[in-house]
Amino acid sequence: MADVRLRNVRKSYGDTEVIHGVDCEIADGEFVVVVGPSGCGKSTLLRMVAGLEEITKGEIAIGGRVVNDIEPKDRDIAMVFQNYALYPHMSVFDNMAYGLKIRGVPRSEIEARVEKAANILQLKPLLERKPRQLSGGQRQRVAMGRAIVRDPQVFLFDEPLSNLDAKLRVQMRVEIKRLQQDLGTTSIYVTHDQVEAMTLADRLVVMNAGVAEQVGPPIEVYERPETVFVAGFIGSPAMNFLPAIATENGLSVGEARFRAAQRLEPGRNVTVGVRPEHLELDPASPTLRVRAELVEALGADTIVHGTLAGAPLLARLPGTQRVVAGDEVPLRCAPEHLHVFDGATGKRI
Amino acid sequence: MRRARTIDWVPHAVLLIGIAIIAFPVYVTVVASTLTTPEIVYGPMSLLPGPHGPENYVQALSEGNAKTSGVGVGRMLLNTLVVALAIAVGKIAISIISAYAVVFFNFPGRMAFFWLIFLTLMLPVEVRIVPTYAVVAGLGLVDTYAGLAVPLIASATATLLFRQFFLTIPDEMVEAAKVDGAGPMRFFKDVVLPLSRTNIAALFVILFIYGWNQYLWPLLVTNDAEMTTIVIGIRRMLGNGDAQTEWSIVMATTVLALLPPVAIVILMQRWFVKGLVETEK
Ligand SMILES: Nc1ncnc2c1ncn2[C@@H]1O[C@H](COP(=O)(O)OP(=O)(O)OP(=O)(O)O)[C@@H](O)[C@H]1O
Ligand SMILES: [Mg+2]
């Protein structure tokens, strides 16, 4: 077991810098999920930890040992790849045993360790098969098994579930979480799926364009996003952003008036964020009225699409509320659920 | 599939005709190798095997005919086998290693080296035959197996094929091996080589036959009758007008010359058919 420390880690390809200085301390046994849109540098960051990509600047330490100049094989890490990357000509057993064989682990111990991992992952009946004789989910398990048998200090996952269908993804997600809790191995997990990120993570690293915009427990990231980007990226449907101007006693968004939790200097341009699930129907004392342009009844929820002050506005109402397109919908939002960001920088105020 | 059955015979007929066209000359050769020369030369040749097979083959194998200076076909087959095997194994060994270097390693001038190898494609033996002969003669390799095989080993075709194949090995697999702790040698031995099996088998067949059929270069670089290869041996057996050609011996020699390539194809086919069926990776 080990902690992982990233200090001002940067990566450049030629003249273009793609990671602009990431700092992060990952405690021993912690499950950290790196999440962000495609191309933001998640894989690059993970591959630098793995040693598959050179670290241009900064420092990465695993278990207190700086690993910048250490080969992947000597970093005591195991990685699970998106495309599984199993050896096609080797049986499931050999795939899992290969790393141990190279390290000169005695045959009897290899067998014991592979058997143990196969039991955990329910791969026992498949040990003699070749990867091509397995389903996607089974291959994924073998890839995990290959990581487990090594008993490394850190697990690295690069979008391990993105090639599976939706149902299997949910199932494997639960399995990964349980496995990590049982083994207690420090893990870094990369994904662009925010549900995976929210459910798996002890702590989230939300990345955008090579910068770690926010690091924190998932609920904290959801409740107190530090930037407009994080606020929009975490949560589904995404947060509504409305252009607003601060007034003496609150915020004005077009015709609508909001009470704000904090005082702002009047006249300041800000962006107000409201999550669709925090808008409630309130015919008695609505803070805003919106014409329902489109209504999606999902059963449990009803999503109402409208426009406020020129910006699109979504409200997620309980499915019991009957709303029809064309209705004027009176809505209310509690002041504590308003997120106020600086209009220019997008930073939380 | 009722409809299919009624027109089933069309493709079969086409195949049968095709096979007949290809097989008939081979059949005639086999039959002729069991007759005497006069029986072949005078009058319509019998299309049924005669009784002289054993003596023709024994003579061919042991002493050839008058024009091969007493060197038997056995010796020629051995020469050709050594050369063809050396060419096939040598070419595969060299090209798989150079393709491995070009694809999996980053070193200065990597592409330059690749293009240099690629350029040799434009320089087959026939084009560079005179300077190559000068070099081989200068090294004293005339009338040796090395002289026969080495100049034919140096070429790029196989490097190119292996490179194309290696490029299809996913990066993630290379990285997985790195994380597993496999160095370049281990990776080559444990992953690249087993995955290339099919390619190696197919190339081996092609290159073996290429080596087996060489004519111009062996003609130039061998003077000693003991070093004759089979193709040249057959050519020598054919008369130049001054003496009658011993057709029965020539035919027996031809059949003998056919056997090793056929054996190689049959032996290797198991490998590459298997490879074609199970798409790995
Ligand atoms: N070898 C390379 N040379 C130049 N630029 C690269 C290279 N590899 C990656 N990049 C750039 O680095 C950035 C980050 O890439 P990375 O693969 O880390 O993204 P990602 O967050 O993993 O995206 P995805 O979710 O699509 O996998 C991208 O803008 C990409 O274009
Ligand atoms: Mg990626």
Side-chain angles (χ1 to χ4, degrees), chain B residues 83-99 120-121 123-125 128 149-160 162 200 203-204 206-208 210-211 214:
Chain B
V83 171
L85 282 177
I87 290 175
V89 171
K91 265 197 182 197
I92 289 175
I94 288 182
S95 43
I96 201 168
I97 293 171
S98 45
T120 65
L121 259 187
L123 300 170
V125 179
R128 55 188 158 94
V150 172
L152 292 168
I153 287 176
S155 103
T157 347
T159 308
L160 216 61
F162 280 121
I200 292 175
L203 262 175
F204 186 84
I206 294 168
L207 293 177
F208 182 85
Y210 164 84
Q214 280 302 313

Side-chain angles (χ1 to χ4, degrees), chain A residues 47 52 73 77-79 81-90 98-99 102-103 132 146 150, chain B residues 172-173 175-183 186-187 190-192 194-195 197 278-281:
Chain A
R47 291 160 52 79
L52 297 170
K73 68 180 162 80
I77 45 124
M79 187 152 172
F81 295 87
Q82 179 173 355
N83 298 321
Y84 322 132
L86 302 176
Y87 310 115
H89 58 292
M90 293 187 198
Y98 188 57
I102 289 180
R103 284 175 169 74
R132 82 187 111 81
R146 186 164 66 176
R150 291 257 315 279
Chain B
E172 289 197 339
M173 208 154 86
E175 292 173 347
K178 260 188 214 160
V179 173
D180 264 344
R186 284 300 293 245
F187 183 66
D190 292 345
V191 180
V192 172
L195 287 179
R197 219 177 43 199
E278 329 171 335
T279 31
E280 295 193 310
K281 252 193 295 82

